[in-house]
């Protein structure tokens, strides 16, 4: 830990959004418990000193009043009592094992496993999952990203990311990076494009967002009609002969099937239906089609809208039809240290017509599983039933589904119907309040931690972070909790691991040799590898860094699979030595390490398909394109609900629910509902006044803020509010509106259950 009197700057990372910018902090204050100063870390290879206003507020996360400081057990009357760790571990392990033995391990469901910045601890759950025979899981990614993951699996079989920083034409859809970041140095990049007359920024968003105000082309699409907008752009490119035929002949399959579906689309009619001037849409399409390089970035504004999966397909198709893959500053496949982030084992094989066959489903509702994740919107229905295969227990780690999933009321009902709910978290969340056992962990700045969102090209970065503060209270890091559960389950005899512990005392090289020998002699132990490494490797690691043991296995696998990328990143050595050199660099690189440097020429070799081609003919999606010709909204208009609510906008002072303390917000903008002035005046509502917003799922009293950047007929509420938090007297008070009290499990994508949070029919009433 740092000596606060010296004002030492310590390297770590911001945990408030996907970008996880490298930052440096000073600690001090009462008990040396506070992060007193924050600045960008210029030594971080990806963020390079950049940070936004949110990072300056992370002390509110570290020192929230609702921090958990001791294990808790629910009493019969619903209140909680503190218990010691031995009791908590023994009872949880015994009860989980009993459910496994009576009903089968597949009846124990897992939710979560890491938030924006804490993925390392969740990775150790793999051993517990194997020991309990668990089969089904989900997390917040299945609330927004599984449609996109399935599309990438079908088209590429690889995780693909846009090189938006250097592309000549950049398409941003369903996202306002000025506020939500989402990629490195977002505001710097937006300004750079705006100043460069040779580059084009195309923003597709119903609202004239801060990002849209910098755009060369702002396509202010009507909510719910993104598919018509994207289809019109693709059709215009095809009909204008802007398709690079030679490139397609060499690198794709299915172009003719695509051409057939788009050749007769009435571009003007589709543009007008999407609410966009046809000439403007055509100009934007041509900016992509004629650019030497183009890249796109999509996010939840697109993925949580009607036609969610189709939207992701069309966004990728726009880039592929124009040949923007496999060359610098376009779309590129990623080399990832841990992962891949989205797995594609669940993607079925295609028949000769391009339709998928033989895919996994959930046990009760038959919902489609993608990347190993059950759709979040189906989970309550997988529980609230007398079906013999219903889930009976849930293990929730670093997640708050009782607040963050659609129809919070039904999620709470489902949690209360389970035989056992165990929550691991930092704070007393809305979900923790529904648990039978609450197991507290340190904050992300009080333990070794890492993030597996590594989406950079050609140089990809990983950042393992040591703690900068001491833990508060009687808490344990997640790897230790998982290891103690494994000890209690008695899966491996501790004496069996003694030789590995002994080898660790002689350093990493000796340990590696002993571990290879052990695994060779005990192949069945691979499923418990995270536990074995954690329990045996400590002596070979820096003091207190046992959580980093997982990297031994990760770097071994990575070096074998991506030797070229690793060597091009500057690493040397033969065989296991190459992996160990990467392992050491990660341990010592407190500002992050470049672990991969890739050649764009190798892109097609990284595709999953045996022919190393991009598969454009995703037949299910092309059928959906045909259906757009009816010009019918997927979510039908309702007389009683004449507004569309976008639930969960990112603003300057919102960060999901990572910071729960309302004091961190510096303006009412963070809690108010944005309404176009004409809409508010028409309803008799003053700027700053109160109103009622009503949906089929519920209603809420809101503070209204006039915003002339809003499209008329639309409303917007921020994410991350509606939390219970102690006031000055220690009594819990509700802070803001929880948008998921207004959303529905039924309003969802028909393929993968992604909720239509950006299209919630609503009514606005004056108070």
């Amino acid at each position: 830990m740092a000596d606060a009197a010296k004002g030492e700057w310590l390297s770590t990372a911001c945990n408030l959004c996907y970008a996880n910018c490298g930052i440096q902090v000073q600690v001090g204050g009462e008990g040396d418990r506070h992060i007193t100063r924050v600045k960008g870390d210029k030594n971080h290879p990806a963020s390079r000193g950049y940070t936004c206003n949110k990072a300056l507020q992370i002390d509110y996360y570290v020192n929230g009043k609702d921090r958990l400081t001791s294990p808790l057990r629910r009493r019969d009357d619903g209140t909680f009592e503190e218990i010691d760790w031995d009791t908590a571990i023994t009872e949880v392990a015994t009860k989980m094992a009993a459910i496994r033995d009576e009903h089968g391990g597949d009846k124990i469901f897992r939710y979560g496993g890491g938030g924006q910045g804490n993925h390392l601890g969740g990775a150790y759950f793999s051993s517990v999952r194997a020991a309990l025979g668990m089969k089904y899981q989900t997390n917040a990614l299945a609330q927004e990203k599984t449609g996109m993951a399935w599309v990438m699996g079908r088209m590429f079989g690889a995780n693909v990311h846009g090189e938006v920083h250097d592309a000549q034409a950049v398409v941003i859809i369903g996202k306002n990076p000025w506020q939500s970041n989402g990629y490195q140095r977002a505001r710097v990049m937006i300004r750079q494009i705006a100043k460069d007359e040779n580059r084009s920024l195309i923003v597709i968003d119903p609202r004239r967002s801060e990002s849209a105000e910098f755009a060369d082309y702002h396509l202010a699409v009507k909510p719910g009609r993104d598919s018509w907008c994207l289809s019109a752009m693709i059709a215009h490119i095809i009909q204008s002969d802007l398709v690079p035929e030679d490139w397609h002949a060499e690198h794709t399959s299915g172009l003719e099937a695509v051409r057939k579906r788009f050749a007769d689309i009435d571009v003007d009619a589709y543009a007008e239906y999407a609410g966009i001037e046809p000439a403007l849409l055509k100009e934007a399409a041509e900016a992509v089609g004629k650019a030497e390089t183009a890249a796109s970035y999509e996010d939840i504004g697109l993925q949580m809208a009607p036609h969610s999966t189709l939207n992701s397909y069309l966004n990728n198709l726009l880039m592929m039809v124009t040949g923007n893959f496999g060359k610098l500053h376009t779309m590129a496949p990623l080399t990832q240290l841990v992962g891949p982030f989205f797995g594609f084992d669940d993607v079925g094989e295609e028949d000769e017509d391009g339709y998928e066959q033989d895919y996994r489903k959930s046990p009760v509702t038959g919902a489609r599983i993608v990347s190993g994740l059950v759709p979040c919107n189906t989970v309550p229905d997988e529980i609230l039933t007398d079906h013999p295969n219903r889930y009976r227990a849930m293990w929730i780690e670093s997640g708050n589904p009782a607040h963050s999933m659609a129809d919070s009321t039904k999620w709470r009902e489902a949690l209360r119907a389970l035989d056992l709910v165990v929550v691991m978290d930092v704070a007393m969340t809305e979900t923790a309040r529904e648990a039978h056992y609450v197991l507290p962990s340190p904050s992300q700045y009080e333990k070794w931690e890492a993030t597996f969102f590594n989406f950079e090209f050609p140089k990809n970065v990983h950042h393992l972070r040591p703690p900068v503060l001491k833990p508060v209270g009687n808490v344990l890091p997640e790897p230790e909790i998982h290891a103690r559960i494994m000890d209690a389950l008695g899966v491996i005899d501790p004496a069996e691991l003694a030789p590995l512990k002994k080898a660790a005392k002689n350093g990493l090289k000796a340990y590696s040799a002993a571990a290879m020998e052990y695994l060779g002699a005990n192949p069945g132990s691979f499923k418990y590898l995270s536990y074995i490494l954690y329990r045996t490797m400590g002596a070979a690691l820096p003091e207190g860094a046992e959580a980093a043991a997982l990297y031994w296995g990760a770097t071994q696998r990575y070096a074998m699979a991506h030797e070229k990328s690793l060597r091009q990143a500057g690493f040397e050595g033969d065989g296991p030595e190459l992996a160990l050199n990467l392992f050491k660099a990660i341990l010592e690189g407190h500002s992050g390490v470049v672990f991969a440097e890739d050649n764009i020429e190798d892109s097609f070799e990284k595709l999953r398909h045996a022919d190393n081609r991009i598969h454009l003919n995703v037949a299910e999606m092309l059928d959906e394109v045909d259906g757009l010709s009816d010009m019918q909204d997927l979510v039908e208009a309702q007389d009683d609900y004449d507004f569309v609510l976008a639930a969960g906008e990112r603003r300057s002072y919102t960060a999901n629910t990572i910071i729960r303390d309302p004091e961190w917000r510096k303006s009412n903008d963070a809690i108010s509902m944005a309404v176009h002035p004409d809409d508010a005046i028409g309803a008799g509502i003053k700027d700053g006044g109160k109103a009622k917003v009503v949906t089929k799922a519920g209603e809420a009293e809101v503070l209204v803020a006039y915003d002339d950047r809003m499209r008329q007929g639309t409303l917007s509420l921020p994410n991350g509010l509606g939390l219970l938090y102690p006031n000055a007297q220690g009594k819990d008070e509700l802070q803001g509106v929880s948008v998921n009290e207004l959303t529905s499990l039924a309003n969802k994508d028909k393929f993968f259950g992604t909720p239509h949070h950006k299209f919630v029919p609503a009514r606005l009433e004056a108070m």
Side-chain angles (χ1 to χ4, degrees):
M1 295 300 104
D3 184 342
K6 295 179 181 178
E8 181 181 357
W9 287 100
L10 304 172
S11 295
T12 183
C14 176
N15 66 330
L16 300 183
C17 86
Y18 143 81
N20 297 120
C21 297
I23 58 174
Q24 292 188 315
V25 302
Q26 289 181 345
V27 301
E30 183 179 353
D32 282 345
R33 280 288 316 142
H34 292 268
I35 292 176
T36 57
R37 297 181 67 190
V38 179
K39 67 179 181 179
D41 185 354
K42 294 180 180 179
N43 294 318
H44 192 277
S47 56
R48 309 196 310 276
Y50 178 88
T51 190
C52 73
N53 66 294
K54 298 182 185 184
L56 306 180
Q57 312 298 324
I58 57 175
D59 190 60
Y60 286 102
Y61 157 74
V62 173
N63 287 292
K65 295 178 185 176
D66 54 358
R67 282 287 305 272
L68 294 165
T69 58
S70 177
L72 301 175
R73 179 176 59 195
R74 179 181 291 277
R75 299 187 181 100
D76 291 340
D77 64 1
T79 61
F80 287 94
E81 60 182 339
E82 292 189 1
I83 56 176
D84 61 77
W85 274 107
D86 286 344
T87 300
I89 294 295
T90 299
E91 292 187 4
V92 168
T94 300
K95 292 179 180 182
M96 285 288 183
I99 291 172
R100 173 198 63 191
D101 295 343
E102 182 176 355
H103 302 290
D106 60 333
K107 310 306 184 302
I108 305 172
F109 190 82
R110 186 202 190 195
Y111 180 93
Q116 296 283 16
N118 59 316
H119 295 162
L120 182 57
Y124 284 89
F125 188 76
S126 59
S127 294
V128 176
R129 182 180 180 179
L132 291 173
M134 296 168 63
K135 185 176 181 181
Y136 300 105
Q137 64 178 342
T138 198
N139 58 42
L141 290 174
Q143 179 86 332
E144 54 196 51
K145 303 294 185 188
T146 42
M148 181 186 72
W150 179 81
V151 165
M152 287 195 299
R154 292 291 299 278
M155 296 182 76
F156 312 105
N159 288 286
V160 172
H161 197 63
E163 281 193 80
V164 293
H165 289 86
D166 298 298
Q168 184 181 0
V170 175
V171 178
I172 296 175
I173 181 167
K175 185 169 188 65
N176 180 16
W178 190 266
Q179 298 288 29
S180 63
N181 294 299
Y183 46 76
Q184 299 294 339
R185 301 169 61 82
R187 294 189 179 185
V188 172
M189 190 209 80
I190 289 172
R191 288 194 182 104
Q192 287 175 341
I193 299 175
K195 292 177 181 178
D196 191 337
E197 62 182 16
N198 295 315
R199 301 181 70 188
S200 298
L201 178 61
I202 301 146
V203 173
I204 304 175
D205 194 319
R207 179 173 174 266
R208 193 181 75 251
S209 66
E210 292 87 345
S211 301
E213 289 181 333
F214 284 90
D216 298 279
Y217 305 95
H218 173 212
L219 306 185
V221 63
K222 285 185 177 180
R225 297 184 183 177
D226 304 271
S227 290
W228 283 272
C229 171
L230 290 168
S231 293
M233 294 178 74
I234 295 167
H236 182 64
I237 287 166
I238 289 174
Q239 294 169 20
S240 302
D241 295 325
L242 295 177
V243 178
E245 303 291 346
D246 291 344
W247 182 87
H248 279 279
E250 184 176 358
H251 294 304
T252 72
S253 66
L255 177 62
E256 289 311 308
V258 169
R259 198 193 307 271
K260 180 179 178 182
R261 303 295 178 107
F262 288 87
D264 296 326
I265 282 178
D266 185 335
V267 174
D268 287 2
Y270 273 45
E272 290 171 355
Y273 189 70
I276 302 166
E277 173 62 37
L280 179 65
L281 182 142
K282 291 176 181 178
E283 278 190 52
E286 290 176 18
V288 176
K290 295 178 179 179
E292 292 183 9
T293 61
S296 69
Y297 197 108
E298 69 172 68
D299 210 343
I300 59 177
L302 183 76
Q303 295 156 355
M304 287 186 163
H307 296 289
S308 170
T309 304
L310 175 61
N311 290 340
S312 291
Y313 171 69
L314 293 171
N315 181 45
N316 278 280
L317 188 62
L318 175 64
M319 293 295 110
M320 295 308 105
V321 164
T322 50
N324 284 293
F325 182 90
K327 54 184 179 180
L328 279 176
H329 313 323
T330 60
M331 308 296 287
L334 298 170
T335 299
Q336 294 179 265
L337 179 64
V338 180
F341 191 72
F342 291 117
F344 303 114
D345 291 342
D346 294 324
V347 175
E349 296 298 322
E350 296 177 8
D351 66 18
E352 59 183 13
D353 296 319
Y355 291 93
E356 186 184 28
Q357 306 292 312
D358 300 326
Y359 43 79
R360 290 181 63 203
K361 299 179 181 179
S362 65
V364 175
T365 66
R368 180 68 208 287
I369 294 174
V370 175
S371 199
L373 302 176
V374 173
C376 297
N377 272 14
T378 69
V379 174
D381 288 333
E382 300 272 341
I383 297 168
L384 296 171
T385 174
D386 59 0
H387 194 288
N389 291 330
R390 67 187 182 276
Y391 308 136
R392 296 174 179 269
M394 194 177 297
W395 192 298
I396 302 169
E397 182 176 344
S398 298
N400 191 8
H403 177 272
S404 58
M405 296 296 107
D407 195 344
S408 300
T409 301
K410 193 165 185 180
W411 260 90
R412 290 192 291 269
E413 181 186 354
L415 292 173
R416 292 166 186 169
L418 291 165
D419 298 340
L420 181 63
V421 178
V422 177
V423 169
M424 295 170 60
D425 216 315
V426 175
M428 194 62 174
T429 65
E430 288 65 34
T431 302
R433 295 166 190 265
E434 305 297 335
H436 298 97
Y437 292 88
V438 182
L439 308 181
S441 58
S443 80
Q444 295 180 36
Y445 298 98
E446 300 164 355
K447 60 186 175 183
W448 286 79
E449 196 50 274
T451 307
F452 300 153
F453 293 145
N454 311 122
F455 295 158
E456 308 303 320
F457 186 94
K459 294 182 178 181
N460 212 348
V461 176
H462 188 78
H463 191 183
L464 174 66
R465 314 179 308 259
V468 298
L469 294 166
K470 294 179 180 179
V472 58
N474 183 23
V475 300
L476 291 175
E478 293 92 337
E480 179 64 23
I481 295 174
H482 295 318
R484 292 192 186 190
I485 293 291
M486 287 292 292
D487 292 342
L489 292 172
V491 177
I492 296 178
D493 184 347
E496 185 180 319
L497 303 180
L500 291 178
K501 290 184 178 180
K502 182 178 180 181
K505 295 178 181 179
N506 296 318
L508 282 174
K509 192 170 184 179
Y511 180 86
S512 292
M516 289 290 192
E517 182 180 351
Y518 174 86
L519 293 170
N522 301 278
S525 63
F526 271 98
K527 59 186 176 183
Y528 305 127
L529 182 60
S530 63
Y531 167 72
I532 294 168
L533 293 174
Y534 181 79
R535 274 290 182 247
T536 62
M537 202 175 184
L541 299 173
E543 184 179 357
E546 291 86 357
L550 186 77
Y551 285 96
W552 181 85
T555 54
Q556 294 289 334
R557 288 192 297 268
Y558 178 80
M560 288 189 286
H562 303 288
E563 180 178 347
K564 182 178 179 180
S565 299
L566 186 53
R567 291 193 184 281
Q568 290 180 169
F571 289 89
E572 299 178 347
D574 296 320
E577 184 182 10
L578 179 64
L580 280 182
N581 288 338
L582 174 60
F583 186 16
K584 292 174 184 176
I586 290 172
L587 281 173
E588 298 166 2
H590 293 173
S591 290
V593 174
V594 175
F595 66 87
E597 184 167 351
D598 288 314
N599 299 326
I600 196 69
E601 297 82 6
D602 297 334
S603 295
F604 292 95
E605 295 177 7
K606 296 183 178 182
L607 301 182
R608 169 180 181 255
H609 307 302
D611 58 9
N612 293 126
R613 287 176 173 267
I614 300 164
H615 290 194
L616 304 180
N617 179 19
V618 181
E620 298 91 337
M621 296 296 98
L622 290 180
D623 288 348
E624 293 295 300
V625 171
D626 277 351
L628 298 178
S629 61
D630 292 340
M631 303 290 192
Q632 294 291 322
D633 285 330
L634 190 64
V635 180
E636 295 182 1
Q638 301 165 30
D639 292 339
D640 293 339
Y641 302 96
D642 49 359
F643 284 89
V644 171
L645 168 67
E649 181 191 343
R650 305 289 175 88
R651 298 181 183 171
S652 294
Y653 288 97
T654 62
N656 297 327
T657 60
I658 299 170
I659 298 182
R660 299 176 61 85
D661 186 346
E663 291 296 320
W664 90 287
R665 299 192 294 267
K666 305 305 180 185
S667 73
N668 280 337
D669 174 70
I671 62 173
S672 58
M673 185 172 73
V675 186
H676 192 280
D678 292 347
D679 287 334
I681 292 169
I685 304 167
K686 296 180 180 180
D687 189 19
K690 291 182 179 180
K692 183 189 292 184
V693 59
V694 183
T695 70
K696 282 191 171 182
E699 60 183 51
E701 182 179 309
V702 296
L703 190 68
V704 168
Y706 286 8
D707 187 348
D708 65 5
R709 294 176 300 184
M710 293 290 292
R711 188 181 182 108
Q712 284 191 255
T714 65
L715 312 170
S716 178
L717 275 169
N719 67 321
L721 300 181
L723 304 174
L724 289 168
Y725 191 80
N727 60 18
Q729 291 73 42
K731 183 179 179 181
D732 285 341
E733 285 187 354
L734 190 65
Q735 306 291 332
V737 176
S738 175
V739 294
N740 282 313
E741 302 294 332
L742 304 173
T743 59
S744 166
L745 292 171
N747 188 20
K748 62 184 178 182
D749 177 63
K750 73 177 186 180
F751 289 97
F752 304 110
T754 311
H756 296 154
H757 280 350
K758 304 307 177 184
F759 198 100
V760 181
R763 182 169 68 249
L764 184 63
E765 300 176 355
M767 295 289 290

